[in-house]
Amino acid sequence: MSKPDQPATRDDASDRAPSPGASAGGVQPAVTRSGTAAGSRWPRLFAHSARQLGTFGGLIGLCLVLWILTPHFLTVSNLLNIAQQTSINAIIAVGLTFVIINGGIDLSVGSIVAFSGVVMASVLARAVPVPIAVLAGLGAGSLCGLINGVLISFGRLPPFIATLGMMSVARGGALLYSDGRPISGFGEGFRWLATGEVAWIPVPILLMIAVYAVAHFVLRRTPFGRYVFAIGGNEEAALLSGVPVRRYKTLVYGASGLLSGLAAVVLTARLNSAQPIAGISYELDAIAATVIGGTSLMGGQGSVVGTLIGALIMGVLRNGLNLLGVSSFVQQLVIGAVIILAVLMDMTFKRPKR
Amino acid sequence: MSKPDQPATRDDASDRAPSPGASAGGVQPAVTRSGTAAGSRWPRLFAHSARQLGTFGGLIGLCLVLWILTPHFLTVSNLLNIAQQTSINAIIAVGLTFVIINGGIDLSVGSIVAFSGVVMASVLARAVPVPIAVLAGLGAGSLCGLINGVLISFGRLPPFIATLGMMSVARGGALLYSDGRPISGFGEGFRWLATGEVAWIPVPILLMIAVYAVAHFVLRRTPFGRYVFAIGGNEEAALLSGVPVRRYKTLVYGASGLLSGLAAVVLTARLNSAQPIAGISYELDAIAATVIGGTSLMGGQGSVVGTLIGALIMGVLRNGLNLLGVSSFVQQLVIGAVIILAVLMDMTFKRPKR
Amino acid sequence: NRGDPAAGGGAGVAGQPAVALVVKTLNNPFFIEMQRGAEEAAKKAGVNLIVQAADREVDVERQMQIIENLIERKVDALCIAPSGSREIVPVIVKANRANIPVLIVDTRADEQALAAAGGKIATFIGSDNFDGGRLAGAFIVEKLGGKGNVAVLEGIAGHETGDARLRGFKEAVAKAPGIKVVASQPANWERDQGYNVFQNILQANPSIDALFACNDLMALGAAEAIAAAGKRGKILVVGFDAQPEARTAIQNGTMAATVAQFPARMGATAVENAARLLRGETIETFSPVSIELIK
Amino acid sequence: MNAPSPVLSLRDIRKAFPGVIALDGVDLDLQAGEVHVLLGENGAGKSTLMKIISGAVARDSGDIVFEGVPVELTGPRHAQELGIGIIYQEFNLVPHLTAAENILLGREPKLFPGVIDQRRLVREAQQQLDDLGVALAATERVSRLSVAQQQMVEVAKALSLNARVLIMDEPTSALTTQEITELFDAIRRLKERGVAIVYISHRMEELFAIGDRVTVLRDGRHVGTRAIGETTMTALVRLMVGRDLTEHFPKREAAIGEEILRVEALRRNGVLHDVSLSLRRGEVVGLAGLMGSGRTELARAIFGADRIDGGQIFVHGKPCAIRSPRDAIALGFGFLTEDRKQQGLVLVLSVQENICLPSVSRLARAGCTQPARETEMTAQRIAELRIKTPGPHQRVMNLSGGNQQKVVLAKWLCTEADILIFDEPTRGIDVGSKVEIYQLINQLAARGAAILMISSELPEIIGLSDRILVMNGGRIAGEFTAAEATQEKLLAAALGKN
Ligand SMILES: Nc1ncnc2c1ncn2[C@@H]1O[C@H](COP(=O)(O)OP(=O)(O)OP(=O)(O)O)[C@@H](O)[C@H]1O
Ligand SMILES: Nc1ncnc2c1ncn2[C@@H]1O[C@H](COP(=O)(O)OP(=O)(O)OP(=O)(O)O)[C@@H](O)[C@H]1O
Ligand SMILES: [Mg+2]
Ligand SMILES: [Mg+2]
């Protein structure tokens, strides 16, 4: 059945290009091309980002405002600082972008972060070489993710239920495994993953960039990515076209778990400690970043580029509010309002003419 | 496009009955009839509940286990406790059921509970007659809900974003309004709403029953209810059939807000205190109850009967774990596992044949 | 410099030194009290006070971000109530690198971790949750005359604040063999859960003599449950934090006692010390804030 | 038929759905290089049988023998690997992907393992479309295509399979004469390559144009297989519906009354250019045109479903602003959409809920729906249109295509609309029911309604209309009276040659 939910309309909009607004500031060509782009990849890529330009405008606007309001915002160190703080949410959000484009949802990311964090930490504590410990962490994350995937694609559970369950199972697991106590104090080698720099760029930022590059490529250029879209857009059609739906669905959740594991690595290195209660409500931030980035919760459409912008909007916002020393009550209010406004702007830009 | 997400398949299943399991204990006829039911309303109602019988089986199973494990479970007073403890989540979940059948989602319920709670309490504190204060609370809730509705149906925001925003706006509002402090100590007249009894039945339970009766009627017997399903099932088709989609969408979120307000009334009377931090993560409980109850997050299908069962499953589970004195770590694990199992059982019963 | 953050920072005049107080969360009256105390002291001491906090008490990574951002903002002194005693260390080190003095409030920063990372703090202002737990335990033991059934309401599982309070309590009651802890269940710091969970505990153990709740919110919720069960006065309820509401509850007998940590005084002392530091005076490295039982 | 051993043969296939026996012991033999037509009323079991061959549905019992070996189809992929391709009756396209991506979905050309060669993908897909003579960029998103265009994408998708057995389930139901000829050429090319083709259609004339043999199903039973040469239309129809049909286009002498709808200079930028037309009481006006000529867009614009950029609409002589379908319905409009799945039906709801959707509030008493009355009304339509369903509470998604179409029709018959716009009303409807629908349309007209009928079946348009408008590129390119209209004239006008 057709599901003309906002994201959908939104999308039509950017397709039925010539609606004046669709050009979030002179990007008209990009938008129009999105419809008719010849197969070659650049217009294609461009076309896809086009859908994010509204949101991107929002990000820029936000930055301008903060730049005017405080001298501390637009400094190299602060921007690096923001990028670093965003990296964890951004990495998780990539996984969620895949899941959501695939037509699902994953509420368990936060708990998986906690679980793989403590697993990895306990391995590190045994003075095992860092790479192995990291692999253990990533493994734990992937495992939880794959379990989600199996429950959903073979057990036919609604993704919401399966991952809600995993949310509390993984949390309980983390608590039991660590006996409820944080595991902390790691060697420099491991801490480097959070504190280190390569060419003046902090490692977490590099990790984030790497993840996004890979994710974008996978999503746009590989069968896996193509099937993620196809399944999310019309699972039945995908199935009848011979796409191994179940396998790919499972993999998608596995990927989300893997990325939560990666986030756990960064988080643990950053705090020099793995907490069983880490990552509470991370799922909301990650989903928000994804949806702000223009990925439709109805599935079938979205992009990691947008998600990155979404994550940055949230990071910049929080940073700005701190710099301005806004009271934390007001902060909650403002964050909510800005999220709404950011997307609202985007929407009205792209409102299709009925 | 068809969107065969699990809930959908799940539902088909109960139509394509004769899969042996579908008879969760000799309910075969009901299920088959769901296909062929003659016009009269009873088979109809029956047919609808039929879709919930699997879940109901889960609830019964859970109760049996607890009855065997602890003598304290199956006592009148404990069952009344459970019903009371469930009432708040159950009332909120009704609103969410409407929203989700309508094809949306509402994350702001918890914050709205907090907001309308403090508003009402502040009015009560001015020694205003109770009914007026209650109306103020309900009003505050409805207002927030209507704002969600307007943002979604006229602003074309994805429900997820609009309500995520409201989630933090309403929370901030509650904190600012109450200056972060709880407002407590109310007269007996008000407390009666939580502590009172009518014919040995506590008022909250009666409220819950009333809400469900009304909701079921509205959903099944009024144009409003019909439109809620139609819009959720295929918004475009509904629009082209002359359904005033925007108006009804707005109303649905308004209703959800109203019910959050009602939940706030019960909660505040129960705790004899209104807190700006009340209701954190209530949305998860409510959505879980709804989805466990068989309402599809894809919209267009669901029932409040199922939601009530879902809410009870969660209430019974929590109660049981406390009675058994299960350790806090294990509790999380068990809750997750049971949620998954409950629905999994339901699924496998109803797995459709290819 | 245009629109310096002091604007929005609320308190005070531009040009004055900026002192930041980062608490665990402001969704908790305890820290609102701390904020109040700090603000009053700030006025007297003539500093710009910026109070910030995460939405969730357990979210130490978020607290870390806030502190990093305040470092970017170049505040002159940082007062921190750590959400995690070990997890806070890395950001303390960052503050050290930026030559911003760090004053720890309420919850200690872990010594070894600090030493290992070579982090320095100017002072610790506060009291020990562990001791608080012991006080509560001792009180219950005494009140029950060394024998009886006790229930416990825990905070969010795995949260060290609650953990410390719980360990302190358990140690104290362990001394009295007659005391049985018949139930210990999590109510996640929250009032409504305190109500529900204790209501359920009562179902399983009707003969409970005393309850220790790891914070007042849960205690207050439980008190309502007790009233609803018609057991008002029959069960000894001891809370933690001594919030205004708990104090009144003690006066009208629905609660027996609560552990007071005087958050307002902590906040004030922290700001005063910060001010003195900035004036170049020296301050002692530990200013204990008495912890006592309000009966 | 003792011809060379069949490519595919089905023996005694059975399939039951709750309340329905879809297939009750069906046999079928497919020879290489033949076009085997499958005929049957709506709900006879054609699609189900095909879905069984394509692995989409599991049979209850019976044997499938492919090239002499019995096979257990595990799923669509398995069937594909065996070389069985299918065009489903209900589209199965991914709306947010491009035509090219849909055509080669699951079979993307690789640059090297694990990486899609997008250029080649687009090139190959475009090739397929061009071969079919469809003017359509392969990079167009499917969600933006008109139904006809989507249908052609489905065809291209199936052809690109290079299947040994190709099933076409009502491929022409949404096509106009032009595309149909293209499609038939393609089919002939396939025949020469020895592909065995199963062809399902309710357009009888097509059978004789393209078919070699025809098998008729009735109520899930195999009632006969004939060589096209040795049979006649009437014979087949008798086999199919079990009785003789009265004349195909029942004539009616409805008194044509005053004008109730007048559209003046209607504009919708890019799609409609100064379209004017008028409808009078008791009049049936046909609207012909090629795919993409803007017929649907015109209907949508009048009905208030799309914003208009200019022009005036008069109902009963009064100018009125129609801002939404709701306004239109309030003014007495009814609009049967061409795309039942996307715009016509709420698939998850029951037959009754769908049929009554536009009427719920009208039927409601004291704010309550009237299930009894709704069921009664529904039952009446089910009987009238011979909708094949276990009951009014069957979910529409479980009905056969044609029966779904009937539900959409019933929906509007239940309103008291007197200006009815039908977009491809008989799409996928069997011959028997068509005649009944024609009679219904006549009855409506006789009752004083005015009907604007968009159809791509020229015989139908000519047979039924009092007046015929032809659209081309969003303009009215010609107007004919029933008397003067011939297929040739209409086609010429549609192609813009006068
Ligand atoms: N999934 C299903 N569940 C229940 N009944 C079904 C299902 N699919 C098909 N049916 C029923 O099986 C019968 C045959 O359906 P089928 O689609 O094969 O008919 P058809 O010959 O293709 O009709 P049409 O010409 O309208 O396409 C119909 O009565 C239909 O209602
Ligand atoms: N949803 C849509 N979005 C964008 N363009 C569309 C859409 N639907 C149709 N079009 C385009 O508008 C033009 C008119 O399409 P329309 O469907 O009205 O033609 P038609 O005469 O009804 O032919 P058809 O038989 O295909 O319906 C065509 O070029 C079509 O591609
Ligand atoms: Mg069919
Ligand atoms: Mg059309």
Side-chain angles (χ1 to χ4, degrees):
Chain A
M1 76 204 109
S2 97
K3 277 226 148 275
D5 181 87
Q6 290 73 358
T9 5
R10 181 179 185 181
D11 198 21
D12 274 4
S14 63
D15 285 348
R16 297 187 176 175
S19 68
S23 57
V27 300
Q28 191 75 28
V31 184
T32 1
R33 224 182 295 170
S34 80
T36 54
S40 90
R41 57 191 280 232
W42 289 120
R44 194 83 206 298
L45 177 58
F46 199 14
H48 283 290
S49 352
R51 220 160 288 120
Q52 270 66 55
L53 280 162
T55 328
F56 189 65
L59 176 58
I60 299 304
L62 190 58
C63 294
L64 284 178
V65 173
L66 289 171
W67 175 55
I68 293 163
L69 288 182
T70 157
H72 306 296
F73 176 73
L74 206 66
T75 68
V76 174
S77 69
N78 189 49
L79 295 183
L80 285 177
N81 176 34
I82 294 175
Q84 250 186 103
Q85 296 179 352
T86 307
S87 61
I88 293 173
N89 179 23
I91 290 174
I92 298 172
V94 170
L96 263 154
T97 308
F98 274 68
V99 169
I100 292 176
I101 291 178
N102 192 243
I105 190 81
D106 187 348
L107 302 177
S108 61
V109 285
S111 302
I112 294 182
V113 166
F115 182 69
S116 31
V118 292
V119 168
M120 177 176 59
S122 66
V123 178
L124 275 171
R126 298 206 188 72
V128 177
V130 173
I132 299 188
V134 170
L135 284 181
L138 299 180
S142 316
L143 182 69
C144 297
L146 287 172
I147 295 176
N148 281 335
V150 169
L151 286 171
I152 290 162
S153 45
F154 294 88
R156 293 160 173 271
L157 284 185
F160 188 93
I161 286 293
T163 58
L164 182 75
M166 179 57 73
M167 179 182 191
S168 92
V169 170
R171 178 73 56 193
L175 286 162
L176 280 172
Y177 188 88
S178 66
D179 197 11
R181 304 222 166 64
I183 307 173
S184 41
F186 311 113
E188 274 318 304
F190 177 69
R191 301 272 344 262
W192 179 84
L193 288 167
T195 57
E197 293 183 352
V198 176
W200 296 285
I201 306 201
V203 176
I205 300 181
L206 295 173
L207 279 173
M208 174 172 75
I209 295 172
V211 167
Y212 273 84
V214 173
H216 185 84
F217 179 83
V218 170
L219 208 48
R220 294 278 167 225
R221 319 284 305 152
T222 69
F224 178 65
R226 181 65 43 85
Y227 298 155
V228 170
F229 277 101
I231 295 170
N234 183 346
E235 184 167 345
E236 200 180 354
L239 190 68
L240 294 173
S241 307
V243 174
V245 171
R246 291 176 162 189
R247 184 192 315 155
Y248 282 99
K249 260 178 144 180
T250 314
L251 286 178
V252 164
Y253 288 89
S256 173
L258 174 66
L259 286 161
S260 301
L262 184 58
V265 175
V266 178
L267 179 65
T268 310
R270 182 168 154 80
L271 295 174
N272 191 19
S273 164
Q275 295 177 294
I277 52 170
I280 288 176
S281 85
Y282 275 19
E283 68 279 358
L284 280 186
D285 280 10
I287 301 177
T290 308
V291 180
I292 293 176
T295 296
S296 154
L297 282 160
M298 286 298 139
Q301 6 177 9
S303 83
V304 289
V305 182
T307 301
L308 183 55
I309 299 172
L312 284 172
I313 286 184
M314 305 198 33
V316 168
L317 188 56
R318 293 217 164 110
N319 171 268
L321 291 168
N322 290 147
L323 294 185
L324 297 173
V326 175
S327 101
S328 69
F329 298 169
V330 181
Q331 278 194 28
Q332 303 209 22
L333 222 150
V334 175
I335 290 177
V338 170
I339 290 180
I340 291 179
L341 287 179
V343 182
L344 200 56
M345 209 192 313
D346 194 23
M347 287 290 127
T348 35
F349 271 156
K350 294 176 173 172
R351 166 156 309 160
K353 29 181 211 166
R354 223 197 61 256
Chain B
M1 70 210 122
S2 83
K3 268 215 154 288
D5 181 270
Q6 291 73 0
T9 7
R10 173 178 192 185
D11 230 2
D12 290 6
S14 66
D15 286 351
R16 312 179 176 177
S19 59
S23 56
V27 299
Q28 193 71 37
V31 184
T32 358
R33 225 183 297 168
S34 76
T36 56
S40 95
R41 58 188 278 232
W42 289 117
R44 193 78 208 292
L45 180 56
F46 201 11
H48 282 291
S49 353
R51 235 164 266 136
Q52 270 65 56
L53 281 163
T55 329
F56 189 65
L59 176 59
I60 299 303
L62 190 57
C63 292
L64 284 178
V65 173
L66 289 172
W67 177 53
I68 294 163
L69 289 182
T70 156
H72 307 295
F73 177 74
L74 207 64
T75 68
V76 175
S77 67
N78 190 50
L79 295 183
L80 284 178
N81 276 354
I82 295 175
Q84 269 186 80
Q85 296 173 1
T86 307
S87 60
I88 292 169
N89 180 22
I91 289 174
I92 297 172
V94 170
L96 263 155
T97 307
F98 274 69
V99 169
I100 292 176
I101 292 178
N102 192 242
I105 190 78
D106 187 349
L107 302 177
S108 61
V109 285
S111 302
I112 294 181
V113 166
F115 182 71
S116 29
V118 291
V119 168
M120 177 176 59
S122 67
V123 178
L124 275 171
R126 295 206 193 73
V128 179
V130 173
I132 299 188
V134 170
L135 284 182
L138 299 180
S142 316
L143 183 68
C144 298
L146 287 173
I147 295 177
N148 281 335
V150 169
L151 286 172
I152 291 161
S153 44
F154 294 89
R156 293 159 175 269
L157 283 187
F160 188 93
I161 285 293
T163 58
L164 182 75
M166 178 58 74
M167 179 182 191
S168 92
V169 170
R171 177 73 56 195
L175 285 162
L176 280 172
Y177 187 89
S178 67
D179 200 4
R181 296 195 180 76
I183 308 174
S184 345
F186 309 113
E188 275 317 305
F190 178 69
R191 298 288 324 275
W192 179 84
L193 288 167
T195 58
E197 293 182 353
V198 177
W200 297 286
I201 307 202
V203 177
I205 300 182
L206 295 173
L207 278 173
M208 174 173 74
I209 295 173
V211 167
Y212 272 83
V214 173
H216 185 84
F217 179 84
V218 170
L219 210 47
R220 294 278 166 224
R221 291 302 309 276
T222 67
F224 177 60
R226 187 70 55 84
Y227 294 152
V228 170
F229 277 99
I231 294 169
N234 183 345
E235 186 168 340
E236 198 175 355
L239 191 69
L240 289 171
S241 304
V243 177
V245 171
R246 291 176 161 191
R247 184 192 314 160
Y248 282 98
K249 263 177 137 179
T250 313
L251 285 178
V252 164
Y253 288 90
S256 173
L258 174 67
L259 287 161
S260 302
L262 183 58
V265 174
V266 178
L267 182 66
T268 310
R270 186 171 159 80
L271 299 177
N272 192 20
S273 162
Q275 296 187 295
I277 53 167
I280 285 173
S281 83
Y282 274 19
E283 66 281 356
L284 281 185
D285 280 12
I287 300 176
T290 310
V291 180
I292 292 175
T295 295
S296 154
L297 283 161
M298 285 298 139
Q301 356 177 7
S303 83
V304 288
V305 182
T307 301
L308 183 56
I309 298 172
L312 284 171
I313 287 184
M314 309 208 16
V316 169
L317 187 57
R318 295 226 164 97
N319 170 271
L321 290 168
N322 290 148
L323 295 185
L324 298 173
V326 175
S327 102
S328 56
F329 301 166
V330 181
Q331 274 196 29
Q332 310 226 24
L333 229 151
V334 174
I335 291 180
V338 170
I339 290 180
I340 289 178
L341 287 179
V343 182
L344 199 56
M345 211 192 313
D346 193 23
M347 288 291 127
T348 36
F349 273 158
K350 294 177 173 170
R351 165 152 313 160
K353 353 178 252 178
R354 206 183 88 243
Chain C
N1 58 3
R2 62 204 142 84
D4 193 274
V13 197
Q16 290 183 350
V19 173
L21 170 62
V22 182
V23 296
K24 296 176 188 177
T25 173
L26 279 168
N27 302 350
N28 177 344
F30 181 87
F31 293 105
I32 292 177
E33 283 301 297
M34 187 178 288
Q35 178 182 25
R36 197 170 48 74
E39 276 163 354
E40 282 161 11
K43 279 199 197 64
K44 289 204 209 70
V47 297
N48 289 344
L49 181 68
I50 303 163
V51 183
Q52 299 272 295
D55 296 348
R56 281 189 178 60
E57 189 160 358
V58 297
D59 194 345
V60 62
E61 201 274 339
R62 183 78 193 97
Q63 190 178 39
M64 183 174 184
Q65 291 186 17
I66 292 171
I67 297 168
E68 286 172 341
N69 294 341
L70 291 168
I71 294 174
E72 285 297 330
R73 187 200 176 293
K74 303 191 173 54
V75 291
D76 301 287
L78 268 167
C79 308
I80 304 172
S83 295
S85 59
R86 298 195 196 75
E87 295 73 16
I88 205 67
V89 170
V91 76
I92 292 179
V93 174
K94 284 194 180 177
N96 294 155
R97 282 211 211 89
N99 301 317
I100 300 176
V102 177
L103 300 81
I104 298 297
V105 196
D106 175 49
T107 304
R108 286 183 186 281
D110 185 85
E111 261 84 8
Q112 295 102 319
L114 210 48
K120 288 184 307 302
I121 63 170
T123 174
F124 170 65
I125 302 133
S127 45
D128 194 332
N129 281 305
F130 185 85
D131 299 336
R134 261 204 318 235
L135 277 178
F139 171 78
I140 287 179
V141 171
E142 173 209 327
K143 274 284 188 181
L144 295 183
K147 67 182 294 298
N149 297 333
V150 184
V152 179
L153 288 179
E154 310 166 6
I156 289 176
H159 189 209
E160 64 180 58
T161 311
D163 211 45
R165 294 174 181 182
L166 198 58
R167 280 185 286 111
F169 175 83
K170 292 245 169 85
E171 185 185 285
V173 290
K175 294 201 188 80
I179 299 281
K180 282 226 315 296
V181 177
V182 291
S184 183
Q185 295 277 295
N188 305 337
W189 295 136
E190 291 185 20
R191 194 169 188 151
D192 56 336
Q193 294 194 38
Y195 187 116
N196 291 355
V197 173
F198 194 64
Q199 192 174 39
N200 294 337
I201 290 178
L202 274 179
Q203 286 292 332
N205 322 275
S207 63
I208 281 181
D209 307 301
L211 162 70
F212 170 61
C214 289
N215 76 352
D216 282 338
L217 288 180
M218 296 188 290
L220 289 162
E224 291 300 336
I226 292 170
K231 292 190 170 214
R232 184 185 250 120
K234 296 197 185 66
I235 299 176
L236 205 64
V237 180
V238 179
F240 210 113
D241 289 348
Q243 293 180 7
E245 267 187 290
R247 292 167 186 268
T248 36
I250 292 170
Q251 272 146 32
N252 50 42
T254 53
M255 276 177 65
T258 181
V259 179
Q261 286 183 293
F262 308 100
R265 200 180 307 161
M266 289 184 199
T269 321
V271 173
E272 286 152 10
N273 280 323
R276 287 170 50 201
L277 262 182
L278 296 177
R279 274 191 250 105
E281 306 170 24
T282 55
I283 58 175
E284 50 296 307
T285 57
F286 176 40
S287 6
V289 176
S290 68
I291 183 161
E292 60 195 51
L293 203 72
I294 311 286
K295 307 190 188 104
Chain D
M1 49 210 81
N2 39 24
S5 70
V7 187
L8 177 75
S9 58
L10 307 176
R11 289 280 166 275
D12 195 29
I13 302 291
R14 294 175 192 280
K15 177 70 180 178
F17 295 106
V20 190
I21 295 172
L23 294 172
D24 185 5
V26 176
D27 297 351
L28 187 69
D29 284 302
L30 273 184
Q31 303 293 353
E34 80 166 334
V35 174
H36 195 123
V37 177
L38 204 51
L39 211 52
E41 286 181 294
N42 296 129
K46 304 181 294 295
S47 297
T48 307
L49 188 62
M50 294 305 108
K51 286 178 186 161
I52 286 173
I53 302 177
S54 73
V57 171
R59 66 195 189 286
D60 295 346
S61 71
D63 309 317
I64 304 175
V65 181
F66 186 75
E67 297 181 324
V69 273
V71 287
E72 258 322 312
L73 287 174
T74 57
R77 184 159 211 132
H78 186 190
Q80 258 186 35
E81 282 155 0
L82 288 175
I84 301 173
I86 180 167
I87 302 172
Y88 290 100
Q89 176 176 20
E90 300 302 334
F91 298 158
N92 281 293
L93 298 172
V94 183
H96 304 300
L97 294 185
T98 66
E101 289 163 343
N102 269 285
I103 290 170
L104 292 172
L105 182 58
R107 298 172 288 115
E108 294 79 5
K110 311 284 191 299
L111 209 51
F112 38 83
V115 181
I116 295 177
D117 183 343
Q118 188 69 20
R119 269 203 198 69
R120 213 175 110 214
L121 181 137
V122 172
R123 204 183 327 112
E124 288 177 4
Q126 191 67 62
Q127 193 54 51
Q128 284 292 345
L129 290 168
D130 296 349
D131 292 351
L132 277 170
V134 199
L136 171 64
T139 49
E140 195 72 30
R141 285 171 146 246
V142 163
S143 61
R144 301 187 63 229
L145 303 182
S146 70
V147 180
Q149 290 166 316
Q150 291 185 26
Q151 180 69 75
M152 290 313 271
V153 172
E154 285 276 8
V155 173
K157 183 176 171 182
L159 295 187
S160 71
L161 273 169
N162 304 321
R164 320 262 347 283
V165 172
L166 184 55
I167 299 161
M168 300 186 171
D169 195 347
E170 302 193 23
T172 54
S173 63
L175 298 184
T176 55
T177 352
Q178 231 194 357
E179 298 90 45
I180 293 177
T181 34
E182 295 286 356
L183 177 61
F184 282 6
D185 294 344
I187 292 179
R188 293 197 184 87
R189 286 198 295 275
L190 291 171
K191 271 177 70 169
E192 283 145 23
R193 295 220 312 265
V195 178
I197 294 164
V198 182
Y199 187 92
I200 302 178
S201 173
H202 290 295
R203 297 184 174 184
M204 301 300 280
E205 68 276 11
E206 292 175 4
L207 318 188
F208 296 89
I210 194 77
D212 300 316
R213 287 195 304 160
V214 51
T215 290
V216 180
L217 296 184
R218 192 195 308 157
D219 299 333
R221 257 178 252 93
H222 175 276
V223 293
T225 300
R226 306 272 186 281
I228 289 287
E230 303 155 8
T231 183
T232 64
M233 172 99 69
T234 34
L236 288 176
V237 171
R238 198 182 300 110
L239 264 183
M240 187 174 149
V241 299
R243 67 185 195 291
D244 285 314
L245 283 184
T246 50
E247 90 280 36
H248 208 66
F249 294 108
K251 259 299 143 219
R252 132 197 69 97
E253 57 297 324
I256 293 183
E258 84 282 7
E259 173 183 272
I260 43 180
L261 172 69
R262 187 160 92 258
V263 176
E264 281 182 3
L266 194 67
R267 261 192 313 104
R268 177 163 161 73
N269 297 344
V271 200
L272 298 172
H273 315 282
D274 302 327
V275 175
S276 303
L277 59 83
S278 82
L279 291 182
R280 310 221 295 290
R281 280 206 178 289
E283 187 179 39
V284 178
V285 175
L287 186 57
L290 299 181
M291 150 187 167
S293 55
R295 298 164 301 173
T296 298
E297 298 271 332
L298 173 58
R300 287 177 59 87
I302 295 176
F303 192 64
D306 289 334
R307 209 198 62 207
I308 58 175
D309 301 310
Q312 246 315 354
I313 296 177
F314 301 83
V315 177
H316 297 295
K318 286 188 263 19
C320 35
I322 302 176
R323 272 182 221 79
S324 71
R326 190 169 182 72
D327 296 349
I329 289 168
L331 285 165
F333 281 86
F335 176 35
L336 183 149
T337 55
E338 71 182 323
D339 181 341
R340 54 177 171 250
K341 233 175 162 182
Q342 298 266 11
Q343 301 158 346
L345 296 166
V346 185
L347 291 167
V348 289
L349 292 188
S350 71
V351 172
Q352 172 170 330
E353 286 162 323
N354 272 282
I355 290 182
C356 298
L357 190 52
S359 326
V360 200
S361 41
R362 185 168 49 80
L363 293 177
R365 292 261 171 289
C368 305
T369 54
Q370 303 294 313
R373 281 193 60 202
E374 290 182 7
T375 315
E376 175 192 330
M377 201 167 79
T378 310
Q380 182 195 338
R381 297 303 172 188
I382 289 178
E384 186 176 49
L385 294 170
R386 303 197 13 269
I387 300 175
K388 190 158 184 247
T389 167
H393 301 302
Q394 174 72 306
R395 300 161 114 228
V396 170
M397 63 163 68
N398 294 337
L399 293 193
S400 79
N403 286 300
Q404 287 181 356
Q405 184 69 25
K406 292 180 182 179
V407 171
V408 188
L409 192 61
K411 195 165 115 178
W412 292 111
L413 297 181
C414 289
T415 65
E416 282 148 0
D418 59 0
I419 308 174
L420 288 157
I421 307 175
F422 291 155
D423 196 350
E424 314 281 2
T426 60
R427 188 178 154 208
I429 296 215
D430 67 52
V431 273
S433 313
K434 266 185 191 168
V435 178
E436 276 141 25
I437 289 174
Y438 297 149
Q439 277 160 347
L440 255 162
I441 291 179
N442 289 340
Q443 284 166 25
L444 288 170
R447 255 194 266 122
I451 293 137
L452 180 65
M453 186 179 76
I454 301 174
S455 173
S456 301
E457 276 187 71
L458 293 177
E460 173 174 287
I461 287 225
I462 295 169
L464 218 60
S465 315
D466 303 297
R467 220 157 24 100
I468 300 165
L469 304 174
V470 183
M471 281 192 80
N472 169 295
R475 288 188 177 69
I476 301 287
E479 176 163 356
F480 304 83
T481 63
E484 67 190 356
T486 65
Q487 297 215 22
E488 293 66 30
K489 285 188 192 167
L490 296 185
L491 207 49
L495 291 166
K497 318 196 205 84
N498 317 50

